[in-house]
Amino acid sequence: VAAVWFNVVMDDGSANLDGFSAVTEERNFPFWQGFALAHRGIALARSGQVEQGLALVREGDAVHRAIGTSWGSPQSLGSVARYLPPEDGLPIVAEALEAMESSGIRWFAPELTRIRGDLHATAGRLDVAEASYRAALDEATVQDSRHWAMRIALSLGTLLQRLGRVGDIAPL
């Protein structure tokens, strides 16, 4: 179950969602049922059905809140927000960051901040995007998270190249 969850987080597990959902239902694992709903929502968002996907993510989060947990909410919200236009996605990212701060569980903070940067870049606010990427890279460094740091460095490097600041990429 956890392996499927991680694959979905990393954009590569939607093919396993039916089996994931079946196991969580069969074994009555509400914690994982919430993730199954949220990940189905993320898969819908990825396929272009963003509003329906966001609704399922919120339904999964409601399942989690009902059993007294909410640490997956920031990851689920952020994963859907990146498929929205900036004016719709940025408030979702802000909500996810707020949920993360209130829970104190920060493992997804670098990625949320990177997604915020992507949305600002899409909106043409390149200076704000760069600041978001740099803040995300700082958070990844604090967490000693090389995975997040690599994802962020790629986004920041792409932005710097777009800005014609190729010389600034090497230190990344």
Side-chain angles (χ1 to χ4, degrees):
V1 174
V4 172
W5 170 81
F6 189 75
N7 281 333
V8 173
V9 169
M10 301 319 303
D11 298 331
D12 186 22
S14 57
N16 298 316
L17 281 173
D18 290 335
F20 180 53
S21 295
V23 169
T24 64
E25 292 291 328
E26 177 185 309
R27 302 287 186 190
N28 192 27
F29 294 145
F31 178 76
W32 293 110
Q33 288 169 351
F35 279 117
L37 286 166
H39 294 319
R40 192 167 298 286
I42 294 165
L44 281 174
R46 189 178 303 123
S47 73
Q49 300 174 35
V50 183
E51 294 303 322
Q52 299 90 330
L54 182 57
L56 276 179
V57 162
R58 292 196 184 284
E59 187 178 336
D61 287 344
V63 168
H64 282 156
R65 281 192 308 279
I67 62 170
T69 187
S70 62
W71 74 268
S73 178
Q75 177 267 322
S76 301
L77 289 169
S79 294
V80 170
R82 65 183 166 178
Y83 298 107
L84 290 163
E87 64 274 8
D88 297 329
L90 285 166
I92 301 292
V93 169
E95 178 185 345
L97 286 165
E98 187 176 306
M100 182 199 59
E101 289 298 329
S102 68
S103 74
I105 299 171
R106 302 188 51 81
W107 71 273
F108 202 66
E111 179 67 355
L112 277 175
T113 308
R114 187 192 70 78
I115 292 167
R116 182 178 65 195
D118 285 351
L119 291 168
H120 281 296
T122 299
R125 294 184 291 273
L126 304 183
D127 55 336
V128 180
E130 181 178 354
S132 289
Y133 292 146
R134 292 195 183 277
L137 196 52
D138 289 346
E139 179 70 28
T141 301
V142 166
Q143 292 184 15
D144 196 26
S145 175
R146 291 186 180 125
H147 169 76
W148 293 137
M150 292 295 292
R151 286 175 63 94
I152 297 158
L154 286 170
S155 294
L156 179 56
T158 300
L159 176 67
L160 292 172
Q161 183 178 27
R162 181 175 167 190
L163 294 170
R165 293 171 39 201
V166 177
D168 293 344
I169 297 172
L172 298 177

